[in-house]
Amino acid sequence: MVTTIKHLAFSLSIILTLTVLLVPVQGFGYENEVDWMWNDTKATSKGRCKTFVVKAGPPKILRGTVSGRTCLTHAVQAYRKGDHEKAFGWILAGQCHDRRARDTLIKNAPRVLEYLLEQYGPNVSE
């Protein structure tokens, strides 16, 4: 009985240690999501993505059929104009088809904006 409890305690400590070590690593997948959007240059969004609400308005701004890169370009331009809500709305619109990706972006919002501006901001004109 004592041996079983010791094995159980050891197993739990290993699981907890791995959980603590792996959770932060999973939280940094936002770079891949932003890079994927930047490399998505074909304007082909379909279905619900076309009606994804970037900003409720007024006026209401919808994604439409623009590419992921165009979403990020709009995000950088909105950020530079001081509309941070609209900027992040455009970032989320670029991943409208992937709920997990949007969750990752939301959880890392400040770092996502910083990464976008540093990595791709210089490539975006006014």
Side-chain angles (χ1 to χ4, degrees):
M1 176 79 167
V2 172
T3 305
T4 304
I5 292 174
K6 286 182 181 179
H7 286 295
L8 180 61
F10 179 73
S11 297
L12 285 174
S13 68
I14 294 295
I15 290 170
L16 289 173
T17 301
L18 288 174
T19 302
V20 169
L21 291 174
L22 293 177
V23 167
V25 171
Q26 291 172 350
F28 287 94
Y30 66 88
E31 296 100 336
N32 292 333
E33 304 303 344
V34 173
D35 294 342
W36 181 88
M37 285 185 279
W38 187 260
N39 292 314
D40 175 34
T41 58
K42 189 174 179 186
T44 59
S45 71
K46 301 174 187 172
R48 292 183 187 171
C49 275
K50 290 193 306 186
T51 59
F52 186 90
V53 178
V54 172
K55 189 171 179 182
K60 185 189 243 183
I61 300 169
L62 303 177
R63 176 185 170 159
T65 59
V66 299
S67 68
R69 180 179 289 195
T70 301
C71 288
L72 293 183
T73 299
H74 289 321
V76 170
Q77 292 167 338
Y79 185 85
R80 287 177 180 162
K81 291 178 183 173
D83 193 340
H84 300 175
E85 178 187 355
K86 185 177 177 182
F88 206 74
W90 275 114
I91 291 170
L92 295 178
Q95 287 286 10
C96 61
H97 61 283
D98 188 340
R99 179 73 179 158
R100 268 198 209 159
R102 288 194 315 273
D103 288 345
T104 298
L105 295 169
I106 290 167
K107 288 176 187 173
N108 296 285
R111 288 180 280 192
V112 169
L113 279 167
E114 182 180 335
Y115 179 75
L116 172 61
L117 295 170
E118 286 178 8
Q119 189 72 21
Y120 301 110
N123 300 321
V124 176
S125 60
E126 296 301 318

